Amino acid sequence: MPPENSNESEKSPMRIGILGSGNMADALGTQWTRAGHHVMVSGRDPAKARALAERLGPSARSGTFAEAAEFGDVVLVAVPYSAVADALTAAGAETGTLRDKMLIDCTNAVVPDRFTIDLPTGTSMAERISHQAVGARVVKAFNTCHESVWRLTPPVFEGRPLVVPLCGDDAEAIATVRTLVTDIGCEPADGGPLERASLLEATTAFMIGLWFRGVDAQAMLPPQKYGTGG
């Protein structure tokens, strides 16, 4: 029996399409190919996508946004938030190419230097993606950390695995993303339905602002046993 922190997935390999070929696509794509999954990366620059696929190894390939959407049973949106709508359109999201697929949103609509959310109050990138990607089963995940954290093998701090909150409405999609979280050595946490994604995105923006001010954001929270009054 392999150890608990083994990178080998005990389940069948997944086919993961990644919309993007930047740092998040690289970090998570690297982890998932190591775990035995098959990945297709994509982007506006085909040469950049091909180069990333070559770095990821023989279980990775590159293609267009539309090809990555078709390839993946699971699809990761990993482009800057300002490019999400165009990437989804190029993938055919409005015409149903992502219908029934599990669509992971790791984006953050954070205004640089101000560390506020660049969206109308009460909405989220995840919900916008859900509205645009007809029939997709959207899960908000992997948005709380810099890409360098997702490259750690595994992301464990002072003996504690990193917790990854998940927000979504589809139980099967949540279960699948939980597997992808554990595959990289992290611990998934139920964050509630997709309507709570706006809270997760705002929390991330707030924490980023603290980190850039030199504050340890983790230190502002007490241990869980004190969180509800003991």
Side-chain angles (χ1 to χ4, degrees):
M1 174 179 280
E4 286 187 16
N5 62 352
S6 170
N7 279 335
E8 281 191 32
S9 178
E10 296 179 2
K11 300 181 180 180
S12 299
M14 297 186 203
R15 291 166 60 93
I16 305 170
I18 300 181
L19 306 184
S21 55
N23 290 331
M24 285 294 289
D26 188 346
L28 290 172
T30 297
Q31 293 278 28
W32 290 333
T33 54
R34 285 175 179 165
H37 301 301
H38 303 292
V39 168
M40 178 182 280
V41 296
S42 58
R44 291 177 298 176
D45 183 343
K48 182 179 179 180
R50 282 196 301 273
L52 174 55
E54 290 173 3
R55 290 200 304 275
L56 294 180
S59 59
R61 64 188 76 176
S62 66
T64 65
F65 286 131
E67 289 169 340
E70 182 180 3
F71 173 85
D73 299 313
V74 180
V75 178
L76 172 71
V77 181
V79 296
Y81 79 91
S82 58
V84 166
D86 287 345
L88 287 174
T89 294
E94 291 94 342
T95 61
T97 57
L98 293 165
R99 185 180 299 278
D100 295 328
K101 291 180 182 280
M102 302 169 210
L103 186 59
I104 304 171
D105 168 33
C106 70
T107 66
N108 287 306
V110 177
V111 180
D113 300 324
R114 292 176 57 200
F115 308 112
T116 56
I117 297 293
D118 191 17
L119 295 172
T121 302
T123 189
S124 68
M125 284 300 299
E127 289 170 302
R128 285 192 167 196
I129 288 169
S130 181
H131 291 316
Q132 185 177 357
V134 177
R137 298 182 283 172
V138 177
V139 177
K140 187 76 186 187
F142 301 106
N143 72 303
T144 57
C145 297
H146 189 268
E147 51 88 13
S148 60
V149 173
W150 304 120
R151 297 182 189 276
L152 299 176
T153 53
V156 172
F157 302 92
E158 297 180 356
R160 298 176 60 188
L162 182 71
V163 171
V164 180
L166 312 178
C167 293
D169 297 330
D170 185 277
E172 183 182 9
I174 289 287
T176 297
V177 179
R178 287 179 67 91
T179 296
L180 292 174
V181 169
T182 58
D183 278 344
I184 68 173
C186 296
E187 186 174 307
D190 179 12
L194 199 65
E195 67 179 3
R196 287 176 55 84
S198 62
L199 302 177
L200 181 55
E201 293 176 16
T203 298
T204 299
F206 187 78
M207 290 192 302
I208 292 171
L210 290 177
W211 287 325
F212 271 89
R213 289 173 173 83
V215 177
D216 181 1
Q218 190 177 45
M220 72 182 181
L221 299 174
Q224 188 273 335
K225 66 179 181 179
Y226 297 104
T228 56

